[in-house]
Amino acid sequence: MGAHILIVEDSALVVSALRILLEDAGHRVSDAGSVRAALDIARSDRPEVMLLDLALPDGDGLSVLETLSNDGLAPRVTVAVTGRDEPHIIARCKRLGCREVLVKPIRAMALPTQVAEWLAE
Amino acid sequence: MTRIGAGYHTVEERLRTLEERVEEQTRTIDELRNRDALKTQFLSNVSHDLRTPLTAIVTHAEILRDGILGDLSPKQLESICGIISGGRQLIGMVGEILMYARGAADQLSLTPTEFAIGTVIEQVTSQVEPLAVKKGLEIGVDVEKDMPPLCADREKITHILSNLLGNAIDFTEHGGRVWVNASRTTTVQSAASVLIEVGDTGIGIAPEHHELVFREFAQVDASASRHHHGTGLGLAIARKFVELHDGRIWVESAPGVGSRFYFTVPVHASC
Ligand SMILES: Nc1ncnc2c1ncn2[C@@H]1O[C@H](COP(=O)(O)OP(=O)(O)OP(=O)(O)O)[C@@H](O)[C@H]1O
Ligand SMILES: [Mg+2]
């Protein structure tokens, strides 16, 4: 039932809240605060779901997905989380294979249900 | 000869002085523009950075409220709900500032779709209804029959309506009335448009403030003791959104009688 979920997000405050919610729903949660850390974790312990913040301290969040896809290691579901809902950003996420684009402030309480839906597909 | 020559010299000199002055003024204006853009950028950055911890606060509070970490006593629950609504209010204000900053930097674009204006009015009205009821206000909706479908940015039209309706409720005392009407109209260039009126029987706005209220950060009562707390950006954003659609927005109002805000949206402006 439970899946491995990787939260790529540099705010420890946000991560801690999401972790409680997703662990409560029975998932195993890893987190990474940078592009580098995200690649390290995703390569050694491939997640089923990756929540990907687009603005990371060491670069563009989407480069994580791009690199993993090139290596054939993309998670089953990647969902982008962004502070900007400009059409070209959303289009770029979709092009790179994001299942969905969540615009901040995201409705975190709905996440467990959404994760279940993504995994059921 | 000497006099004419000297005169010529003087005119030339004055011309040069004037040119120099114009150049200097142009530099000053450019400099001010740059600083204004920097401030807008700063506003945007700060707002972005505020939003992350705010979201974390609200989510942590929601986790507690929903009993995920154990049951709460009714008093604890009430307190947590206070944190959540305060946090949501702040998130809303930060969102307004971000929206304004994007408008000021001309980073706003329209995402048009076709929809019925009546549906959007119903949606916004039912969203604010609890607020109105709580204040003892009567709320009415009147949409002309057979309105043509509107092709516009639905989210932005929704935003304009909730801002105007929110203001109508905020600035109307207990027992008053607020309403939303929609009808057909044509613009000066005779393009088919919808005309939307959001009215109230509230405190009203003095004629000398009718222009001012659409300016960013403008509040008629800006004193520290004012009852109403907001960013003063609601109407500035509404105006920006209306203008993006090539529409017009204005107010008719008298103190003590009430206000009627009107805006038009050309039916096909965006498609
Ligand atoms: N319906 C109204 N009746 C009376 N005064 C109004 C009404 N709508 C707006 N105003 C005046 O115009 C000012 C600007 O309104 P605006 O919506 O831009 O900002 P705000 O309501 O103060 O803040 P915010 O919308 O960000 O919460 C208000 O502070 C108020 O003084
Ligand atoms: Mg307002």
Side-chain angles (χ1 to χ4, degrees):
Chain A
M1 250 296 301
H4 178 208
I5 300 179
L6 173 58
I7 304 173
V8 187
E9 156 73 57
D10 68 326
S11 161
L13 276 169
V14 171
V15 170
S16 76
L18 297 184
R19 177 185 283 280
I20 295 171
L21 279 172
L22 294 170
E23 286 183 349
D24 179 67
H27 302 295
R28 184 162 66 85
V29 175
S30 307
D31 65 89
S34 64
V35 171
R36 255 189 87 128
L39 287 174
D40 282 349
I41 294 177
R43 285 194 176 119
S44 61
D45 184 5
R46 189 170 172 183
E48 271 93 44
V49 178
M50 177 163 73
L51 291 176
L52 188 59
D53 191 337
L54 297 193
L56 295 170
D58 60 341
D60 173 17
L62 279 177
S63 71
V64 175
L65 179 59
E66 215 168 1
T67 310
L68 290 175
S69 299
N70 287 340
D71 298 349
L73 287 173
R76 225 171 91 200
V77 180
T78 296
V79 171
V81 180
T82 169
R84 313 172 51 134
D85 62 347
E86 274 112 285
H88 71 273
I89 293 180
I90 294 178
R92 182 153 171 262
C93 294
K94 296 269 159 148
R95 202 165 52 241
L96 286 172
C98 291
R99 168 69 181 71
E100 210 154 310
V101 182
L102 303 179
V103 178
K104 288 180 185 179
I106 66 166
R107 294 191 309 120
M109 300 311 278
L111 255 186
T113 316
Q114 284 173 307
V115 168
E117 281 166 16
W118 297 327
L119 287 171
E121 278 164 15
Chain B
M1 181 68 202
T2 341
R3 269 189 58 204
I4 294 174
Y8 185 68
H9 191 67
T10 312
V11 169
E12 206 176 39
E13 247 178 29
R14 277 169 76 188
L15 206 64
R16 194 163 344 114
T17 318
L18 277 176
E19 271 170 5
E20 272 166 14
R21 229 182 256 165
V22 168
E23 239 169 66
E24 198 186 301
Q25 299 290 342
T26 314
R27 268 200 304 276
T28 311
I29 291 172
D30 282 349
E31 168 77 18
L32 287 176
R33 276 221 186 92
N34 283 341
R35 284 197 205 174
D36 186 45
L38 270 180
K39 255 195 196 150
T40 307
Q41 184 62 48
F42 169 76
L43 203 59
S44 165
N45 291 348
V46 171
S47 309
H48 256 290
D49 291 350
L50 283 173
R51 199 154 68 168
T52 304
L54 272 175
T55 309
I57 290 172
V58 171
T59 308
H60 274 294
E62 284 173 334
I63 287 169
L64 289 173
R65 178 200 61 193
D66 290 2
I68 290 174
L69 300 177
D71 289 339
L72 298 179
S73 73
K75 284 248 149 88
Q76 287 169 330
L77 195 62
E78 197 185 319
S79 167
I80 294 285
C81 288
I83 297 176
I84 295 170
S85 40
R88 287 227 180 104
Q89 203 177 327
L90 275 173
I91 290 175
M93 288 168 78
V94 166
E96 291 269 287
I97 296 176
L98 276 170
M99 189 74 83
Y100 160 73
R102 284 174 59 187
D106 280 324
Q107 286 172 352
L108 290 173
S109 55
L110 294 180
T111 314
T113 54
E114 212 175 73
F115 59 90
I117 187 67
T119 315
V120 170
I121 291 177
E122 288 295 341
Q123 267 168 4
V124 174
T125 317
S126 65
Q127 250 170 40
V128 300
E129 192 146 26
L131 262 173
V133 170
K134 210 166 128 195
K135 268 193 93 171
L137 302 177
E138 191 190 314
I139 187 165
V141 173
D142 184 12
V143 177
E144 195 183 305
K145 264 205 292 189
D146 303 322
M147 289 281 282
L150 193 59
C151 182
D153 189 318
R154 185 174 176 145
E155 235 174 76
K156 294 199 170 63
I157 300 291
T158 306
H159 198 96
I160 300 167
L161 269 168
S162 17
N163 262 324
L164 294 181
L165 208 49
N167 282 345
I169 294 171
D170 278 351
F171 297 104
T172 304
E173 304 291 337
H174 188 94
R177 223 161 51 77
V178 303
W179 62 89
V180 187
N181 298 340
S183 55
R184 303 151 179 273
T185 183
T186 49
T187 62
V188 193
Q189 294 86 12
S190 71
S193 302
V194 296
L195 170 70
I196 296 163
E197 172 188 343
V198 179
D200 64 63
T201 59
I203 62 170
I205 304 166
E208 66 267 28
H209 292 138
H210 286 188
E211 292 287 330
L212 174 97
V213 292
F214 290 101
R215 264 192 241 149
E216 42 273 356
F217 309 115
Q219 296 182 319
V220 173
D221 178 9
S223 65
S225 60
R226 70 195 199 274
H227 287 301
H228 169 77
H229 295 276
T231 57
L233 286 173
L235 288 175
I237 292 171
R239 185 183 61 182
K240 192 99 199 171
F241 284 2
V242 170
E243 285 171 357
L244 273 175
H245 283 92
D246 289 326
R248 277 202 334 116
I249 184 167
W250 70 97
V251 62
E252 292 170 7
S253 176
V257 180
S259 310
R260 289 160 190 254
F261 282 85
Y262 297 92
F263 69 96
T264 59
V265 183
V267 175
H268 293 300
S270 331
C271 289

